[in-house]
Amino acid sequence: MSYIDVLKEAKDQVTPGMSACQGCGGELILRTVLKVAGENTIVGIPPGCMAGAGVVGWNYANGLHIPVHIPLLDNTASFLTGLSQMYERKGRSDVNIVAVAGDGATADCGFQSLSAAAERNEKMLYVCYDNEGYMNTGYQRSSTTTKGSRTSTTPIGSVINGKQQQQKYVPLILSMHGLEYCATASPSHMADFVAKIQKGLAASKKGFAYLHVFSPCPTGWAYPPQKAIEVARNAVKSNVFPLWEMDQDSYKINFANKNPIMVGEFVKGIGKFKNLTQEDIDSIQEVADKRMALLRRMAGN
């Protein structure tokens, strides 16, 4: 069965009653992950867009079709550790333990518990939908926010011109924890995404698996909702968000991207980048190029 057929045949575990924004990358990511994971899944979703958009449901007719818990912003991985160990003691290895968390709950507030669970190689699949900010509370910057981005805490003005720091590259940090599986994915490359969800779920039966997924946000980033997949695709094509995986310490680049577009083309038309200077663009380009070169060396290319 092809990866697209998997989605065609799978039951949607998210009801139509969800109240996410039009063109929300996070909703597509949530639906895709839970479709592949299936009914025998328990999911932890910390405070953020996917929790705030009503995944627990407003009545008995909507929400998720599977058990969902909203832990604190900083303890998703430790909460699911207890859940995972409980099912392991019961001999229930058939239950998928999954986190779907934003970048704030992953790279910032929840990084301590995430790093600890990864280091212990706890049995779970942790999925980060990275929309580069705390979108649910008005788009404050996070450590994964791209340099130069306009956010409510990094405004454009005479004192500063958007975020001043480069983003923290969380997936590579996590891959160094000795976990079972680590990968990046994008909703613009759905076959690759589905394959990595399947690999992550399989790896979660042996230990910790991590997926870092690009999650474009029309509302916070200021671009038309119908452009979401195009934005995600250009992030991959520019090497701003390269697709790779680490399976048992072996790194592989999944999208060779022999003729990448320039960062300047990626940021075009995205409102949060409208005040980037050429110096800012050159700085982001340099980071993207260096990161890709490092990944190629790690993959033996």
Side-chain angles (χ1 to χ4, degrees):
M1 183 182 292
S2 73
Y3 298 126
I4 300 304
D5 285 338
V6 170
L7 296 182
K8 181 181 177 182
E9 299 297 327
K11 178 183 177 182
D12 196 346
Q13 302 302 325
V14 183
T15 71
M18 194 175 185
S19 58
C21 302
Q22 288 186 342
C24 173
E27 178 179 357
L28 180 56
I29 291 164
L30 177 69
R31 288 183 183 275
T32 304
V33 169
L34 297 187
K35 264 192 170 187
V36 178
E39 295 177 325
N40 211 16
T41 300
I42 296 178
V43 60
I45 304 177
C49 290
M50 290 304 97
V55 297
V56 294
W58 309 117
N59 53 47
Y60 291 113
N62 59 29
L64 298 188
H65 293 300
I66 58 176
V68 55
H69 298 268
I70 299 181
L72 300 176
L73 194 62
D74 58 358
N75 74 343
T76 304
S78 55
F79 172 83
L80 291 181
T81 292
L83 200 61
S84 175
Q85 292 188 7
M86 180 195 74
Y87 276 101
E88 187 171 11
R89 290 192 180 104
K90 290 176 175 288
R92 293 288 308 279
S93 60
D94 59 314
V95 179
N96 294 316
I97 307 298
V98 177
V100 180
D103 49 287
T106 300
D108 298 338
C109 302
F111 188 76
Q112 180 181 10
S113 64
L114 170 63
S115 176
E119 182 264 333
R120 294 192 305 268
N121 210 23
E122 302 287 354
K123 295 179 179 179
M124 69 181 75
L125 171 61
Y126 191 108
V127 180
C128 172
Y129 62 98
D130 186 359
N131 51 29
E132 298 194 4
Y134 293 79
M135 300 301 177
N136 189 51
T137 50
Y139 189 18
Q140 297 83 14
R141 62 87 92 187
S142 79
S143 60
T144 70
T145 306
T146 300
K147 182 181 180 180
S149 297
R150 170 200 50 77
T151 76
S152 61
T153 50
T154 57
I156 294 169
S158 58
V159 178
I160 63 172
N161 190 46
K163 188 190 177 193
Q164 300 298 289
Q165 301 80 23
Q166 297 287 355
Q167 65 178 187
K168 180 195 295 184
Y169 195 52
V170 177
L172 199 54
I173 297 171
L174 262 291
S175 76
M176 297 294 173
H177 280 64
L179 39 73
E180 290 293 327
Y181 183 75
C182 181
T184 62
S186 171
S188 62
H189 293 65
M190 191 57 72
D192 176 77
F193 185 19
V194 172
K196 287 172 176 175
I197 297 169
Q198 292 176 323
K199 290 179 182 179
L201 289 168
S204 73
K205 304 306 178 185
K206 299 180 288 183
F208 196 91
Y210 179 79
L211 291 183
H212 196 97
V213 191
F214 190 78
S215 181
C217 173
T219 305
W221 296 14
Y223 64 82
Q226 67 270 23
K227 296 284 188 179
I229 297 302
E230 179 182 332
V231 168
R233 185 176 294 112
N234 283 340
V236 176
K237 289 170 66 176
S238 63
N239 288 335
V240 166
F241 195 89
L243 299 180
W244 57 272
E245 63 185 333
M246 186 279 293
D247 193 350
Q248 296 181 340
D249 299 325
S250 177
Y251 288 80
K252 177 183 178 182
I253 294 173
N254 306 110
F255 185 69
N257 208 17
K258 295 180 180 179
N259 297 298
I261 63 174
M262 301 299 289
V263 166
E265 187 174 342
F266 161 64
V267 301
K268 194 181 302 181
I270 301 176
K272 73 169 183 172
F273 293 129
K274 68 179 182 179
N275 272 52
L276 287 181
T277 64
Q278 187 58 50
E279 183 181 358
D280 291 330
I281 294 174
D282 291 344
S283 177
I284 299 168
Q285 182 74 63
E286 181 181 7
V287 168
D289 291 344
K290 286 182 176 178
R291 180 182 296 160
M292 198 66 209
L294 172 61
L295 290 168
R296 288 193 176 113
R297 291 196 300 272
M298 296 178 72
N301 294 353

